[in-house]
Amino acid sequence: EIVMTQSPATLSVSPGERASLSCRASQSVTTNLAWYQQKPGQAPRLLIYGASARATGIPARFSGSGSGTEFTLTISSLQSEDFAVYYCQHYNNWPPGGTFGQGTKLEIK
Amino acid sequence: EVQLVESGGGLVQPGRSLRLSCAASGFTFDDYAMNWVRQVPGKGLEWVSGISWNTGSIGYADSVKGRFTISRDNAKNSLYLQMNSLRAEDTALYYCAKGSVYGGLMDVWGQGTTVTVSS
């Protein structure tokens, strides 16, 4: 079973600054890596898939990079609505499914 | 509008059963894999189970294997999760999520239904 590890657990950043969140896989997942954003009381929202492709409607300030075992989600200039919990996920197709990381809470500094 | 609406959650005693449902609308249901994901309040996301568009491929997390059964009725645009031998650690908010280009890549989520396992 592939284990996804995110760091840090909590990241404090000021609005307008850049945030970088990390995700590591216990073995190569090639680029089958997604990022989700979850705000309190809401369902998760898909941000990034294929490690670097933005999902429909996601602002350009969100970008993803990496392949194999090391991945990064970067938010270039934080807006107030970006403070949330972010999860990475390795996803499969057959059978469908995937493993989530434990999440990184992005909070206002 | 693409929409997923879960139902069937509630309070159940340990060892008992519960069946969750997810009603899909706004997309061609039988074109896509579907998933169940759960979240203990204040904790992270845990993938529970996934099913391909034609039920030909099904997967379960180790934590539920042998106790939970996923199924779908494409004629009714519905996804189900039969949960047997429930344990306290199954207490969570259960989300239904639509697969995308990859079955486990989830691009649409419902708002969830809460399952509480307690005596």
Side-chain angles (χ1 to χ4, degrees):
Chain A
E1 178 189 337
I2 295 175
V3 176
M4 308 301 294
T5 303
Q6 293 185 240
S7 62
T10 303
L11 182 62
S12 299
V13 183
S14 300
E17 294 190 340
R18 178 189 184 100
S20 292
L21 289 65
S22 295
C23 176
R24 173 176 292 178
S26 60
Q27 62 190 79
S28 178
V29 299
T30 61
T31 56
N32 288 354
L33 191 284
W35 291 94
Y36 299 84
Q37 177 193 65
Q38 188 179 33
K39 297 179 181 179
Q42 296 185 16
R45 176 175 70 147
L46 177 65
L47 296 176
I48 300 286
Y49 65 95
S52 61
R54 278 189 299 276
T56 303
I58 302 303
R61 65 180 181 273
F62 290 90
S63 62
S65 63
S67 65
T69 62
E70 300 284 342
F71 301 89
T72 301
L73 173 69
T74 301
I75 310 171
S76 59
S77 178
L78 280 164
Q79 307 296 303
S80 58
E81 61 266 30
D82 299 335
F83 292 96
V85 179
Y86 291 84
Y87 296 93
C88 66
Q89 181 217 13
H90 159 55
Y91 53 86
N92 297 311
N93 192 46
W94 201 262
T99 306
F100 291 92
Q102 80 278 21
T104 291
K105 182 179 181 181
L106 181 58
E107 64 177 26
I108 300 174
K109 186 174 181 180
Chain B
E1 179 192 6
V2 177
Q3 194 171 16
L4 299 171
V5 179
E6 302 92 337
S7 61
L11 174 62
V12 61
Q13 293 178 329
R16 304 298 291 265
S17 299
L18 205 60
R19 189 195 196 205
L20 305 184
S21 298
C22 171
S25 59
F27 65 100
T28 305
F29 183 71
D30 54 11
D31 277 352
Y32 296 96
M34 296 293 295
N35 297 270
W36 289 100
V37 175
R38 68 185 180 184
Q39 185 171 37
V40 174
K43 303 297 184 182
L45 301 171
E46 179 188 17
W47 172 79
V48 172
S49 183
I51 185 169
S52 63
W53 64 276
N54 64 353
T55 73
S57 183
I58 288 175
Y60 298 97
D62 288 344
S63 58
V64 306
K65 202 170 293 183
R67 300 187 299 122
F68 288 13
T69 301
I70 192 171
S71 62
R72 63 190 294 163
D73 186 336
N74 288 344
K76 295 183 177 180
N77 289 349
S78 294
L79 175 72
Y80 306 101
L81 186 68
Q82 177 67 43
M83 304 185 295
N84 298 332
S85 303
L86 282 161
R87 306 167 180 168
E89 53 265 35
D90 295 319
T91 294
L93 179 64
Y94 284 73
Y95 291 106
C96 165
K98 170 186 167 290
S100 182
V101 290
Y102 276 70
L105 174 63
M106 303 172 215
D107 62 351
V108 180
W109 296 64
Q111 287 304 303
T113 187
T114 299
V115 173
T116 303
V117 184
S118 175
S119 55

